[in-house]
Amino acid sequence: MGVTPREIRVDVGELALSGFQVDPERVSAAFERELTRLIRTHGVPLATDGPLTVDALSGLPPLPAGLSARRLGQELARAVHEGLSGHGEVTR
């Protein structure tokens, strides 16, 4: 029988936006909204066995430089959630 966590806390120390001409605060807000939505909808598959600390996610797809701040935040959140779902390389 699976246990549903009462709380999921994701702490993203830094989003590096090299090569993008966007407002970082708008990107951050869109990122937070989308990641919250994805976690509420799909959970965090890598954390199904209990608490999980991830130092870095790598091997995630590159994003096109011409995205709007909102779209960039959404795409970054999707890439991070994919990493938390077991895709990409996870450093614990």
Side-chain angles (χ1 to χ4, degrees), residues 10 12 30-39 77 80-81:
V10 178
V12 178
F31 173 83
E32 186 175 330
R33 278 190 308 271
E34 182 66 3
L35 189 56
T36 297
R37 185 190 72 76
L38 290 167
I39 289 171
V80 167
H81 189 264

Side-chain angles (χ1 to χ4, degrees), residues 46 52-58 83-92:
L46 287 181
L52 170 73
T53 299
V54 175
D55 292 329
L57 295 173
S58 59
L84 295 173
S85 296
H87 307 283
E89 183 178 327
V90 176
T91 304
R92 297 179 189 203

Side-chain angles (χ1 to χ4, degrees), residues 18-74:
S18 300
F20 294 95
Q21 305 272 331
V22 292
D23 178 358
E25 289 185 20
R26 290 184 65 212
V27 172
S28 183
F31 173 83
E32 186 175 330
R33 278 190 308 271
E34 182 66 3
L35 189 56
T36 297
R37 185 190 72 76
L38 290 167
I39 289 171
R40 281 188 180 138
T41 303
H42 305 288
V44 179
L46 287 181
T48 56
D49 294 330
L52 170 73
T53 299
V54 175
D55 292 329
L57 295 173
S58 59
L60 301 174
L63 299 171
L67 296 176
S68 69
R70 181 185 60 80
R71 185 74 175 158
L72 178 58
Q74 290 171 335

